[in-house]
Amino acid sequence: MTHAVVPVLEIGGTHVTAALVDLDAHGVLAEHRGHPDAQGSAEAILSGWIDTARLLGDVAGDWVVAMPGPFDHDAGIGRFRDVGKFDSLDGVDVGAALREALGADVRFVNDADAYGLGEWFAGAAEGSSRAVLLTLGTGLGSAFVAEGAPIAAGADVPLDGEIHFESVRGLPVEDVVSRRALMAAGLAATGVERDVHELAIAARAGEKAAAAVLASGFSAVGEVIRPWLDRFGAEVLVIGGSMSRSWDLVEPAVIAGLDGWDGRLERAALGDTAPLLGAAWFGRGRRVV
């Protein structure tokens, strides 16, 4: 095993992925996925993560864990309280539990930052100096990457580097563009309750009300991120997440919301591989600044 191979855990609300990432090859050598219950006890959740990690066998080197918030990534302690997942890990020293079980040091990186680092390192933002990545799905995630480091503080990024704290059109941004927001807008406009992908199907079929709902929501993405692109000096904006599958509808609306921004807009290229590559990159010594 070379120094460029990094063991990674990527934690999601409904899954955990353990992978060996080869940074030199920009690829994944081995991968296993588990599905522990996010509503389970702390012991059950941690056991699910650990059991999945052990499927990789006897691996060398320190682990990197891509973990969603709210979480103290420096201390490795859960801060999940009334967020609908991992509530039993609130206040739990997750880092200590993983270190003991895996017999190795463990570092944590925010999952959105891991996604952004992956796309910067080997995906749609490869070759850029400063990039912003947004994920459109249940909510609106973000990562600000400068020269291979996630930026989470300072005047050039939103609070904690997280765009979901921002407002647009006088409302919290996730009240305008998120799965629940678009579904609610679709119901109000059409009288039919449909998920976002169903609204996309209807829009492509010529349903004007559905098309207008999505155009309005996706243009808000451009509106809310435009001032931060300017402040951050971003060369490229990458958009991923489940809604990016409807790129034919997302792209023109976001461009309209960006209102003449002269950077490059790209669809995320790596899918589920992005946070694995990004976490591994982070594990080579890059730290949040």
Side-chain angles (χ1 to χ4, degrees):
M1 183 176 295
T2 72
H3 70 282
V5 176
V6 182
V8 167
L9 275 180
E10 186 257 323
I11 307 295
T14 60
H15 74 276
V16 55
T17 300
L20 282 180
V21 177
D22 186 334
L23 287 171
D24 288 341
H26 292 194
V28 176
L29 300 178
E31 181 177 340
H32 298 279
R33 180 170 281 225
H35 298 277
D37 182 5
Q39 304 300 326
S41 67
E43 181 180 1
I45 294 171
L46 290 170
S47 293
W49 296 348
I50 292 164
D51 290 346
T52 303
R54 286 174 172 162
L55 292 174
L56 291 177
D58 186 16
V59 300
D62 298 338
W63 287 75
V64 185
V65 181
M67 179 73 76
F71 188 83
D72 186 332
H73 291 84
D74 290 330
I77 296 174
R79 300 299 182 204
F80 306 101
R81 183 174 300 174
D82 300 325
V83 295
K85 61 182 179 183
F86 308 142
D87 287 353
S88 64
L89 293 177
D90 185 40
V92 172
D93 192 335
V94 175
L98 293 180
R99 289 183 187 99
E100 180 179 359
L102 299 175
D105 195 13
V106 176
R107 294 179 61 194
F108 293 91
V109 59
N110 177 272
D111 61 340
D113 285 340
Y115 197 119
L117 286 169
E119 288 289 343
W120 173 86
F121 168 60
E126 186 176 4
S128 67
S129 296
R130 301 177 76 85
V132 175
L133 178 123
L134 300 179
T135 52
L136 304 181
T138 303
L140 186 61
S142 59
F144 292 75
V145 179
E147 302 293 350
I151 308 299
D156 294 339
V157 300
L159 177 65
D160 294 336
E162 298 186 10
I163 198 67
H164 69 81
F165 289 124
E166 294 294 295
S167 295
V168 67
R169 303 174 188 170
L171 295 169
V173 66
E174 289 189 347
D175 286 351
V176 179
V177 57
S178 63
R179 179 172 178 261
R180 62 173 174 81
L182 292 176
M183 288 179 66
L187 176 61
T190 69
V192 181
E193 186 173 14
R194 290 177 285 193
D195 210 332
V196 178
H197 74 277
E198 294 172 312
L199 287 168
I201 292 170
R204 294 187 189 100
E207 187 178 319
K208 292 183 179 179
V213 165
L214 296 180
S216 176
F218 294 145
S219 66
V221 175
E223 293 170 29
V224 76
I225 199 62
R226 170 63 194 271
W228 295 107
L229 295 173
D230 292 337
R231 289 190 197 185
F232 191 65
E235 301 161 36
V236 56
L237 170 64
V238 179
I239 295 182
S242 59
M243 292 187 198
S244 69
R245 296 169 188 156
S246 298
W247 192 243
D248 57 322
L249 303 173
V250 171
E251 182 182 30
V254 171
I255 288 173
L258 289 172
D259 191 27
W261 179 63
D262 61 1
R264 182 162 51 95
L265 174 63
E266 299 284 351
R267 181 183 181 182
L270 300 177
D272 292 343
T273 304
L276 303 178
L277 291 175
W281 174 265
F282 182 84
R284 294 189 81 182
R286 277 68 181 176
R287 295 182 180 273
V288 175
V289 297

